[in-house]
Amino acid sequence: KMELRGVCCVLLTCLFYTSSADKDFFTSIGQMTDLLYTEKDLVTSLKDYIRAEEDKLEQVKKWAEKLDVLSATATQDPEGFLGHPVNAFKLMKRLNTEWGELESLVLKDMSDGFISNLTIQRQYFPNDDDQTGAAKALMRLQDTYRLDTHTISSGELPGDPMTVEDCFELGKIAYSDADYYHTELWMEQALKQLDGGEESTVDMVTILDYLSYSIYQQGELERALDYTKRLLKLDSAHQRANGNLKYFEYQLAKQNKVEAEEGQKEKEKREREKREASDKKGRPADYLPERRKYEQLCRGEGIKMTPRRQSRMFCRYSDNNHHPLYVLGPVKQEDEWDRPRIIRYHDILSNSEIEKVKELAKPRLRRATVHDPQTGKLTTAHWSPRGKGAWLTSYEDPVVDKINQRIEDITGLNVKTAEELQVANYGVGGQYEPHFDFGRKDEPDAFKELGTGNRIATWLIYMSDVPSGGATVFTDVGAAVWPKKGSAVFWYNLFASGEGDYSTRHAACPVLVGNKWVSNKWMHERGQEFRRRCTLNESE
């Protein structure tokens, strides 16, 4: 048991402390599936080790039982027993040879195979950054879709229930970022589960310590004081809590004294300030000015079209101006939005084509890239690292060439100057925050290294259905387009005048449940001179 426990400790240590560069497993479901098979292989190896240990113990047990019976008989009449020459010989043989063999068996390490396999596999394990990223993704989902901690922890969402340790770990990660709002939420959930009788290796004193401080940091002195007092009932010698108790009591007395000396107007003003502070309490502010609108759209709370506008939206069969390929087999076209005009094309990719594209992309998935406005170059999306992308060239497989040609035939745009087909996979909380696909006026060097001008249009293919979340939303106009496997959406980023259409600012919402695969093609200005003629009207 001790040896098995030691091997299990080695396994857990490897899981939590092994580090490796640039894996970010939490960003891609496609790569996280490899982890499941890795873990399955390790479990099989662990079971083999357990069976080997059990076989070893069974042999030792049989030996002990045989000798127990023999020694019980021999010790009843030792001289009579040893008076038999065969018994005397066998005693010498056992002590000289067989006990030595037993010693070798007991000392034999059955874990060599398991440890060797574990050492090989640990290079593929997630690191601390991956674990932190997955935790932050979970909190992002919590905020975006307004999920309470109980809903997530209890397993009401598809998945296993969370333990006290899980909730505590989320709270600690938030605390390390000085995010006291989420620290409070998850430490309170851990406390509720402890109060409910769940057994845990995390003690209540530690949880209360984090909880009281995070509440204090959010300006709630009385609640912080209550939790501190509760902590001291459990551990009266807790040094930090004793210090906090005196400080909180001093601050509260000072606050009460000021309030007692205030006149009616001052009291009303203070009450108003308290209410305003309470209303502002919540997740910390971030860099995205349209965060609230973005998340509303992700929840399906977008702008609803008037009946008059809706009446202008149609579904139709399109042959793209009598294109020979689509005269007899037109594509199914649906209007998703009018300004900017967003069109969905149904049944663009078959299941076999989708699987082939995923197969080609999976080994090369990297963090998604974005256009850096300062350098004018494509760069890693550090600010939104929740998806991974791979670029596929037309010459590496016929299916990629067929998809590129299909895009050209349907849109009428030249794809020879387009960027390569980009494939992206979004995992836990995977998202792509609001951005423009085209280079703006203050970015004169946008896509300069490509030499093909600005991004004139975007073609986005959904290669999977998403059970919950994962919409493409246009934050400026309030449109939301939901994933549908095999379909594609298309819009122009530039007006016919060449000016950028700022209403095309869009984002990919976090995936709440499921796995989101998309591929996109960015068409550029060069090569479109006679396919989409320029006008002087900036709004056309």
Side-chain angles (χ1 to χ4, degrees):
K1 285 184 179 178
M2 290 301 293
E3 191 170 359
L4 177 57
R5 188 179 303 161
V7 173
C8 290
C9 287
V10 170
L11 173 60
L12 290 173
T13 301
C14 291
L15 279 170
F16 285 102
Y17 293 102
T18 300
S19 64
S20 59
D22 194 32
K23 292 190 295 293
D24 302 318
F25 287 110
F26 69 94
T27 64
S28 167
I29 291 289
Q31 290 184 320
M32 286 177 70
T33 54
D34 291 341
L35 294 182
L36 287 177
Y37 290 109
T38 296
E39 189 171 52
K40 182 180 179 182
D41 180 56
L42 287 174
V43 170
T44 301
S45 181
L46 182 60
K47 286 182 176 179
D48 290 341
Y49 161 70
I50 292 171
R51 278 193 293 271
E53 287 287 359
E54 287 174 343
D55 290 343
K56 170 181 158 181
L57 289 173
E58 189 62 30
Q59 292 180 56
V60 174
K61 182 179 177 182
K62 287 179 180 178
W63 174 263
E65 288 173 350
K66 182 181 74 173
L67 286 183
D68 187 40
V69 173
L70 182 62
S71 60
T73 302
T75 53
Q76 288 179 0
D77 180 13
E79 291 185 4
F81 179 82
L82 292 174
H84 198 293
V86 173
N87 290 343
F89 166 74
K90 293 184 72 172
L91 175 63
M92 297 299 109
K93 178 176 177 289
R94 282 198 303 275
L95 291 172
N96 183 51
T97 305
E98 294 179 17
W99 275 101
E101 292 172 353
L102 180 63
E103 181 184 23
S104 298
L105 176 62
V106 170
L107 293 175
K108 185 177 181 181
D109 188 353
M110 312 302 292
S111 66
D112 287 347
F114 171 69
I115 294 298
S116 176
N117 188 27
L118 181 60
T119 301
I120 294 170
Q121 298 287 8
R122 62 188 293 183
Q123 64 182 306
Y124 304 112
F125 285 3
N127 58 24
D128 289 344
D129 288 340
D130 292 313
Q131 183 177 336
T132 299
K136 289 182 178 179
L138 191 55
M139 287 184 270
R140 186 167 59 252
L141 289 173
Q142 176 185 3
D143 295 334
T144 302
Y145 297 106
R146 290 183 174 173
L147 304 172
D148 59 71
T149 52
H150 174 75
T151 299
I152 300 172
S153 180
S154 64
E156 289 181 28
L157 287 174
D160 294 332
M162 295 175 68
T163 63
V164 171
E165 286 87 350
D166 294 331
C167 298
F168 177 73
E169 186 64 29
L170 282 172
K172 270 180 53 179
I173 288 171
Y175 182 85
S176 67
D177 279 351
D179 178 1
Y180 301 113
Y181 169 69
H182 286 108
T183 304
E184 177 189 347
L185 292 179
W186 285 105
M187 290 301 174
E188 276 193 333
Q189 182 59 37
L191 187 62
K192 285 177 186 175
Q193 291 180 209
L194 268 184
D195 288 340
E198 183 180 322
E199 293 184 1
S200 172
T201 57
V202 183
D203 63 277
M204 192 173 290
V205 168
T206 305
I207 293 174
L208 287 168
D209 193 17
Y210 277 101
L211 187 53
S212 61
Y213 185 75
S214 63
I215 289 172
Y216 160 70
Q217 283 290 339
Q218 296 178 85
E220 295 187 70
L221 268 173
E222 291 185 20
R223 286 185 64 216
L225 183 60
D226 289 341
Y227 278 119
T228 303
K229 288 178 179 177
R230 183 176 173 184
L231 187 160
L232 289 169
K233 285 182 180 178
L234 298 172
D235 183 2
S236 60
H238 197 285
Q239 187 175 357
R240 183 167 48 252
N242 276 300
N244 287 344
L245 178 69
K246 293 176 183 177
Y247 179 73
F248 293 161
E249 286 178 336
Y250 167 75
Q251 289 291 338
L252 197 57
K254 184 179 176 181
Q255 181 179 300
N256 291 337
K257 183 180 178 182
V258 170
E259 290 178 0
E261 294 173 353
E262 287 176 342
Q264 184 62 32
K265 287 186 178 180
E266 287 79 5
K267 285 182 180 180
E268 290 176 358
K269 181 182 177 182
R270 182 173 287 276
E271 286 299 321
R272 186 167 60 252
E273 288 174 349
K274 280 185 178 180
R275 286 194 300 271
E276 289 174 356
S278 179
D279 291 340
K280 290 179 181 178
K281 180 187 172 184
R283 50 199 284 207
D286 65 12
Y287 52 85
L288 194 63
E290 62 211 298
R291 172 74 62 188
R292 185 177 177 184
K293 187 173 183 181
Y294 162 52
E295 293 182 349
Q296 284 177 331
L297 291 170
C298 290
R299 293 192 296 270
E301 301 170 5
I303 296 172
K304 305 300 178 186
M305 280 191 177
T306 62
R308 186 174 180 180
R309 282 180 71 185
Q310 189 66 48
S311 68
R312 301 192 188 107
M313 311 292 284
F314 295 99
C315 294
R316 65 186 71 81
Y317 284 103
S318 172
D319 60 11
N320 190 25
N321 295 321
H322 306 294
H323 190 286
L325 285 176
Y326 298 107
V327 171
L328 295 179
V331 292
K332 289 178 277 189
Q333 190 183 80
E334 178 184 2
D335 294 331
E336 286 281 356
W337 204 256
D338 53 356
R339 294 185 300 273
R341 192 179 184 207
I342 305 168
I343 300 173
R344 188 194 295 265
Y345 293 91
H346 294 271
D347 303 324
I348 292 301
L349 290 190
S350 66
N351 285 334
S352 61
E353 288 174 324
I354 288 171
E355 292 307 312
K356 184 62 180 180
V357 170
K358 287 162 63 176
E359 178 189 325
L360 292 169
K362 190 176 176 181
R364 288 178 282 174
L365 288 175
R366 295 289 183 272
R367 280 185 187 269
T369 55
V370 295
H371 173 246
D372 187 332
Q374 294 181 337
T375 65
K377 298 180 179 180
L378 296 175
T379 185
T380 301
H382 295 292
W383 48 267
S384 181
R386 306 299 169 218
K388 286 194 169 184
W391 299 87
L392 302 182
T393 56
S394 57
Y395 57 79
E396 58 188 295
D397 193 276
V399 73
V400 180
D401 190 43
K402 282 174 62 179
I403 291 170
N404 288 337
Q405 187 60 51
R406 195 172 302 160
I407 294 170
E408 178 166 319
D409 293 338
I410 292 173
T411 64
L413 295 176
N414 189 341
V415 298
K416 290 182 176 61
T417 56
E419 294 172 48
E420 302 296 351
L421 189 71
Q422 187 189 51
V423 182
N425 179 219
Y426 298 89
V428 181
Q431 67 175 25
Y432 206 123
E433 292 180 346
H435 62 282
F436 297 102
D437 281 350
F438 64 91
R440 273 75 69 206
K441 286 183 177 180
D442 57 349
E443 304 165 335
D445 295 330
F447 313 113
K448 184 177 181 180
E449 74 277 13
L450 298 179
T452 52
N454 212 342
R455 285 174 173 169
I456 193 172
T458 296
W459 174 274
L460 175 65
I461 305 172
Y462 296 111
M463 301 198 299
S464 65
D465 292 314
V466 181
S468 187
T472 304
V473 298
F474 292 74
T475 53
D476 190 65
V477 298
V481 180
W482 300 90
K484 183 179 179 183
K485 187 177 182 180
S487 71
V489 290
F490 172 78
W491 67 87
Y492 280 103
N493 297 305
L494 307 179
F495 293 115
S497 64
E499 293 296 316
D501 183 353
Y502 285 80
S503 68
T504 60
R505 185 169 171 82
H506 61 285
C509 294
V511 175
L512 180 57
V513 178
N515 180 16
K516 182 181 177 183
W517 283 89
V518 297
S519 57
N520 53 269
K521 193 80 172 173
W522 284 301
M523 275 74 81
H524 284 247
E525 293 175 293
R526 300 292 180 268
Q528 319 304 342
E529 293 85 353
F530 299 102
R531 300 191 183 213
R532 192 193 191 214
R533 294 183 180 275
C534 180
T535 70
L536 298 178
N537 190 335
E538 292 190 1
S539 62
E540 291 183 0

